[in-house]
Amino acid sequence: MTIETTFGEIIKRLRNEKGITQEQLANALDIPESTIRRLETAGNMPRRERINQIADYFGVSVDFLHGRTAEKEDSSVGRAFYGGSDQYTEEELEIARAAAQAAVEAYRKGLNKK
């Protein structure tokens, strides 16, 4: 796998793989669409919080977004699963990721109600 050279190329590829438009990504991240266009074309790096937000949204590591690795996931992620992530199919890992994300979102909603 070839490692893209720019943050923008990586974001654009991830967005296309997910089958979403710049507008849809902007809405999901609650940022202006112009910010997505700028990230994909100008080659500017966003602040750390935005990079973390994008990594979380796409389920990739920050190192992947920086183009430092071709591996989308941090190898340490496997430690979160009993026996390591290599013991599970990609489908099972995706289910676990989705469940974890749903749990975090529910938790955050609960915090906002207090």
Side-chain angles (χ1 to χ4, degrees):
M1 174 182 198
T2 303
I3 299 175
E4 285 85 354
T5 57
T6 69
F7 183 80
E9 290 173 344
I10 294 168
I11 298 301
K12 185 174 183 177
R13 181 168 66 84
L14 288 171
R15 183 177 56 75
N16 288 332
E17 285 176 1
K18 200 169 181 85
I20 60 173
T21 65
Q22 289 179 337
E23 179 182 17
Q24 290 169 318
L25 178 57
N27 289 337
L29 299 175
D30 195 28
I31 59 176
E33 184 179 350
S34 61
T35 300
I36 301 299
R37 281 194 303 273
R38 194 169 41 255
L39 289 174
E40 288 188 5
T41 59
N44 297 339
M45 288 298 291
R47 65 185 194 278
R48 183 178 345 167
E49 295 81 17
R50 179 80 68 224
I51 293 172
N52 291 340
Q53 181 186 26
I54 293 168
D56 290 345
Y57 177 78
F58 286 113
V60 299
S61 71
V62 171
D63 277 345
F64 180 81
L65 290 179
H66 283 290
R68 294 181 190 156
T69 180
E71 298 300 318
K72 287 185 179 181
E73 296 177 10
D74 184 343
S75 60
S76 65
V77 169
R79 287 180 266 186
F81 298 100
Y82 179 75
S85 62
D86 58 335
Q87 303 296 315
Y88 299 91
T89 66
E90 189 57 40
E91 182 179 2
E92 290 169 331
L93 291 171
E94 188 58 38
I95 291 167
R97 284 185 205 99
Q101 183 175 4
V104 169
E105 289 172 6
Y107 172 75
R108 288 177 179 165
K109 284 180 184 177
L111 286 178
N112 290 335
K113 289 183 181 181
K114 290 183 181 180

